[in-house]
Amino acid sequence: MVKVNGRELDIAGKSISEYLASTDYDMSRIVIELNCVIVPKTDYATTVLRDKDNVEIVSFVGGG
């Protein structure tokens, strides 16, 4: 199980890109933190999530 924004999900073994493809996040407006380290967008396809990983997805919202 992988914890994503506080929720336990059965996504161990998937890459960050594979997981994000199943969501509705706007890829241009998010940052991924994996185990307290920010993951560069260029590494999403090669970074595989493991059991007990902790992922935080931060979405940026514009306004004025």
Side-chain angles (χ1 to χ4, degrees):
M1 298 298 277
V2 176
K3 190 178 279 190
V4 179
N5 290 353
R7 285 185 32 216
E8 294 278 340
L9 300 175
D10 188 14
I11 57 172
K14 289 187 177 186
S15 70
I16 291 174
S17 290
E18 289 171 323
Y19 168 67
L20 290 173
S22 70
T23 70
D24 61 352
Y25 285 106
D26 180 348
M27 294 291 290
S28 66
R29 294 187 172 263
I30 63 169
V31 170
I32 304 289
E33 182 182 283
L34 175 61
N35 301 323
C36 300
V37 176
I38 293 176
V39 180
K41 289 183 191 286
T42 56
D43 293 345
Y44 287 5
T46 58
T47 302
V48 176
L49 300 169
R50 302 181 202 287
D51 194 35
K52 301 188 194 267
D53 275 348
N54 187 28
V55 177
E56 291 294 325
I57 302 172
V58 179
S59 298
F60 296 99
V61 179

